């Protein structure tokens, strides 16, 4: 789907459907919606007056006016109460419009930029979110379906204010590029586990910069380490987790040089378990199919790198993704084993199902050793306990550096991807001390998300570091908050916002 920005009046745009909006409780149409309504003789105002349409989030009013417009269909989408409007609501409004457009198999949709200028949301920002919403809601994983989903060919954003046009155009471009990169990652997460084993993930990673135009693609370089290299590095964690599988583990390091040679690196480390059976500590069968999304952290970090390259963000970024398939077999690692990690620390294994932290520990050591990053962020579907603690609303966030945490909280607020900090107080270390080695890989029933985070902290050393537990937010079972069911793309928006420092890149 092409996403474009055009100048003009939505009443005279030729499209298969136009999309306007209404704030909840507004009583009557406003702005472009009012202009459209008077052109068609007041049907929208009538629907509001009669209580047919109230403007609630997710609510829609579909009309086929006989005359008055260049397009045959109108969809009015609800934006919720004006006082509660945020830029993210402009993203969420895209899903009902996309669902209607797909159901009717339309070719071109023209939309206003929802909420531009409302509640302090600048037109550029509203445009960015609205176009991101269009891009994200166009995602459909239909590779294995006989009957493919309908694809909308063009999604236009119409801006009638010539003064606002450059800003709106920049925002639309930004959102479209960001959305494309996120969808690239979502397709990886959706892939069946037999189709995406560690080497397949590495192959996909080699193409992380593909199709972005030579300026961007040339700044991306990908290196993949196999078992011989990992053995030489004594990456005991990655090797142990990967041992039970016929498909050997990989360590992917994708670099994007958006800044000068002398500028420091930022490391993004993402868990890449292509399928998590639990290993010898086998998971129960119910829901195990979902463990194909145990590489969502890795896919998210690669998608973040792709987005940064597409947006021309001026940073040097390395995405480090340890990829492994956690399988039970005669060759698998066992509870009771003691691993020597790349950093030299030893870890007693109590559950082979707590595998993510073992992969991440080695990948973090690799990142610190080779890139000396000024900041390191990891993302992982790490603990079921995070779903218990924060549900599917917030990412679980932990870290060792107050100022980095403060910046991530700001990015969380402005990106719309919620993250909530959990404490890494020293008292939790007791739970993961081992009798036989330095650490053990599980910390008991209490505070499971925090003890996993604390384990990682032991491998971050002095590097300012943040851990994001995305177990509850990387995949949605049901449609929610403007996301269709399936992979959400979390935490790409959060990280791009952090890396772009509120939108300083060329595309804005
Ligand atoms: N990949 C899982 C965590 C997970 C669970 C992600 C549910 C998404 C949904 C992880 O490797 C795991 O199995 N963690 C264990 C840790 C336990 C053994 C300490 C868990 O959460 O049960
Ligand atoms: Zn596991
Ligand atoms: Zn796992």
């Amino acid at each position: 789907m092409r996403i474009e920005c055009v100048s003009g009046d939505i009443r005279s745009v030729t499209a298969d459907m136009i999309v306007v909006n209404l704030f909840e409780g507004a009583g009557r149409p406003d702005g472009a919606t009012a202009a459209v309504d008077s052109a068609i003789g007041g049907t929208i105002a009538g629907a509001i007056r009669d209580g047919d349409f109230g403007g609630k989030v997710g609510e829609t009013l579909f009309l086929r006016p006989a005359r008055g417009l260049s397009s045959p269909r109108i969809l009015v989408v609800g934006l919720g109460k004006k006082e509660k409007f945020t830029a993210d609501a402009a993203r969420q409004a895209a899903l009902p419009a996309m669902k209607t457009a797909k159901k009717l198999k339309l070719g071109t949709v023209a939309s206003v930029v929802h909420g531009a200028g409302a509640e302090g949301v600048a037109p550029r920002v509203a445009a960015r979110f609205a176009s991101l919403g269009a891009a994200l809601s166009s995602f459909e994983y239909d590779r294995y379906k006989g009957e493919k989903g309908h694809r909308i060919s063009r999604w236009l954003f119409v801006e009638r204010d010539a003064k606002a046009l450059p800003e709106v155009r920049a925002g639309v471009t930004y959102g479209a590029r960001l959305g494309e990169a996120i969808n690239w990652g979502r397709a990886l997460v959706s892939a069946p586990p037999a189709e995406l084993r560690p080497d397949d993930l590495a192959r996909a990673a080699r193409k992380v910069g593909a199709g972005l135009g030579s300026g961007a693609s040339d700044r991306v370089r990908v290196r993949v380490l196999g078992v011989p290299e990992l053995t030489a590095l004594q990456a005991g964690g990655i090797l142990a987790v990967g041992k039970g599988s016929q498909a050997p583990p990989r360590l992917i390091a994708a670099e994007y040089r958006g800044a000068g040679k002398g500028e420091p690196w930022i490391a993004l480390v993402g868990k890449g378990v292509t399928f998590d059976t639990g290993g010898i500590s086998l998971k129960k069968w119910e829901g195990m199919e979902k463990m194909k999304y145990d590489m969502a952290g890795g896919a998210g970090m690669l998608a973040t790198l792709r987005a940064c390259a597409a947006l021309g963000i001026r940073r040097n970024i390395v995405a480090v993704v340890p990829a492994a398939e956690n399988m039970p077999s005669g060759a698998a690692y066992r509870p009771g084993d003691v691993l020597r990690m790349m950093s030299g620390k030893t870890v007693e294994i109590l559950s082979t199902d707590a595998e993510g932290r073992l992969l991440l520990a080695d990948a973090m050591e690799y990142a610190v050793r080779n890139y000396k990053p000024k900041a390191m962020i990891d993302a992982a579907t790490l603990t079921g306990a995070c779903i218990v603690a924060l549900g599917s609303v917030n990412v679980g966030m932990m870290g060792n550096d107050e100022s980095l945490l403060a910046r991530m909280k700001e990015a969380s607020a402005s990106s719309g991807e919620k993250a909530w900090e959990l404490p890494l107080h020293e008292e939790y270390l007791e739970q993961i001390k081992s009798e036989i080695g330095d650490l053990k890989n599980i910390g008991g029933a209490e505070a499971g998300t925090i003890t996993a985070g604390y384990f990682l902290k032991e491998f971050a050393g002095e590097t300012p570091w943040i851990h994001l537990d995305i177990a509850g937010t990387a995949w949605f079972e049901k449609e929610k908050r403007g996301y269709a069911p399936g992979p959400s793309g979390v935490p790409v928006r959060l990280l791009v916002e952090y890396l772009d420092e509120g939108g300083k890149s060329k595309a804005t």
Side-chain angles (χ1 to χ4, degrees):
M1 185 178 82
R2 269 161 45 213
I3 298 176
E4 292 160 34
C5 178
V6 297
S7 97
D9 189 318
I10 195 147
R11 289 172 297 190
S12 51
V13 169
T14 311
D16 297 312
M17 179 169 84
I18 65 167
V19 184
V20 290
N21 60 53
L22 184 78
F23 282 111
E24 185 181 348
R28 56 190 160 79
D30 186 28
T33 312
V36 166
D37 197 36
S38 37
I40 63 166
T43 317
I44 300 174
I48 299 167
R49 195 183 332 104
D50 296 346
D52 295 359
F53 181 64
K56 284 202 170 66
V57 174
E59 204 184 347
T60 56
L61 173 69
F62 180 76
L63 300 170
R64 274 205 76 127
R67 62 185 71 84
L69 301 172
S70 303
S71 304
R73 302 173 189 83
I74 305 175
L75 190 73
V76 192
V77 296
L79 296 181
K81 293 210 167 69
K82 195 170 185 181
E83 318 83 79
K84 283 195 169 172
F85 183 75
T86 60
D88 198 54
R91 173 192 64 80
Q92 295 188 32
L95 188 63
M98 181 62 73
K99 280 167 62 179
T100 305
K102 279 193 172 183
K103 200 172 77 198
L104 299 175
K105 299 195 165 36
L106 305 182
T108 301
V109 174
S111 174
V112 296
V113 174
H114 304 299
E119 295 302 296
V121 177
R124 173 178 59 91
V125 177
R128 186 193 283 192
F129 278 78
S131 118
L132 173 69
L136 293 179
S137 57
S138 74
F139 175 77
E140 190 174 334
Y141 191 75
D142 56 6
R143 215 180 140 169
Y144 296 96
K145 286 227 166 125
E147 195 180 325
K148 304 293 180 200
H150 175 76
R151 297 278 193 270
I152 311 299
S153 52
R154 292 169 79 206
W155 197 277
L156 309 176
F157 285 99
V158 187
E159 179 56 54
R160 61 176 169 174
D161 178 1
K163 277 210 308 297
L165 192 65
E167 292 278 288
V168 168
R169 175 160 284 142
V172 166
T173 305
Y174 192 106
R177 288 185 188 171
L178 176 55
E180 189 281 332
I182 295 175
N183 289 345
W184 179 90
R186 290 164 97 191
L188 293 177
V189 180
S190 298
E195 303 297 317
L196 197 95
R197 298 177 91 191
D199 191 42
D200 303 304
L201 184 57
R203 201 167 313 122
R206 287 191 190 281
K207 295 203 203 125
V208 67
L212 299 178
S214 65
S217 302
D218 294 349
R219 294 175 177 273
V220 177
R221 243 190 60 195
V222 183
R223 195 170 310 157
V224 177
L225 277 57
V227 171
E229 294 98 323
L230 291 167
T231 307
L233 286 169
Q234 298 183 292
I238 299 174
L239 289 166
V241 175
K243 253 182 16 174
S245 172
Q246 305 256 4
R250 296 283 184 264
L251 182 64
I252 303 159
E255 299 173 356
Y256 161 65
R257 283 183 185 273
K261 269 230 181 299
E263 294 295 313
W265 289 95
I266 295 184
L268 306 176
V269 181
K271 174 176 174 181
V273 173
T274 61
F275 193 62
D276 183 10
T277 65
I280 296 299
S281 315
L282 195 63
K283 287 182 184 292
K284 65 176 194 300
W285 69 271
E286 281 169 300
M288 198 197 276
E289 74 285 351
K290 278 194 246 153
M291 282 301 114
K292 70 174 186 179
Y293 89 85
D294 215 16
M295 37 60 75
M301 292 321 203
L302 293 167
T304 301
L305 186 118
R306 180 171 174 84
C308 289
L311 293 168
I313 289 175
R314 294 191 174 92
R315 298 250 204 200
N316 291 336
I317 300 165
V318 59
V320 181
V321 179
E325 186 179 46
N326 191 20
M327 294 292 244
S329 86
Y333 78 131
R334 322 154 185 78
D337 281 352
V338 178
L339 311 180
R340 186 171 293 279
M341 311 292 282
M342 196 193 293
S343 76
K345 280 199 164 67
T346 57
V347 177
E348 177 190 7
I349 301 306
L350 293 182
S351 167
T352 61
D353 198 11
E355 82 296 342
R357 64 199 75 183
L358 305 170
L359 297 172
L360 291 169
D362 278 353
M364 285 164 62
E365 170 68 19
Y366 180 86
V368 170
R369 217 186 260 181
N370 292 285
Y371 295 90
K372 300 187 178 40
K374 76 164 183 187
M376 175 161 66
I377 298 138
D378 81 78
T381 45
L382 205 61
T383 64
C386 188
I387 311 175
V388 177
L390 298 169
S392 61
V393 177
N394 273 283
V395 172
M397 176 162 78
M398 286 141 269
N400 63 2
D401 186 276
E402 286 305 326
S403 84
L404 186 57
L405 281 161
R407 261 179 290 149
M408 199 59 77
K409 285 174 195 172
E410 274 173 33
S412 170
S414 47
S415 68
E417 281 191 348
K418 291 191 163 66
W420 198 258
E421 189 187 353
L422 300 175
L424 285 187
H425 295 152
E426 223 179 296
E427 288 88 334
Y428 294 105
L429 177 60
E430 282 308 311
Q431 284 175 247
I432 51 167
K433 275 192 178 154
S434 165
E435 300 281 316
I436 187 172
D438 299 327
L439 296 168
K440 54 189 182 191
N441 79 330
I442 62 175
E446 296 178 358
T449 303
I450 295 176
T451 52
Y454 210 108
F455 182 95
L456 297 178
K457 178 176 182 280
E458 292 296 293
F459 295 86
E462 299 302 306
T463 306
W465 153 86
I466 280 181
H467 162 56
L468 302 171
D469 193 329
I470 57 168
T473 45
W475 187 282
F476 294 144
E477 286 300 306
K478 288 191 258 167
E479 177 183 319
K480 57 181 78 176
R481 301 190 296 278
Y483 287 107
S488 64
V490 169
V492 181
R493 293 202 282 138
L494 168 66
L495 293 175
V496 172
E497 185 74 18
Y498 157 73
L499 291 162
D500 197 16
E501 290 182 311
K504 289 188 190 148
S505 67
K506 283 184 273 187
T508 49

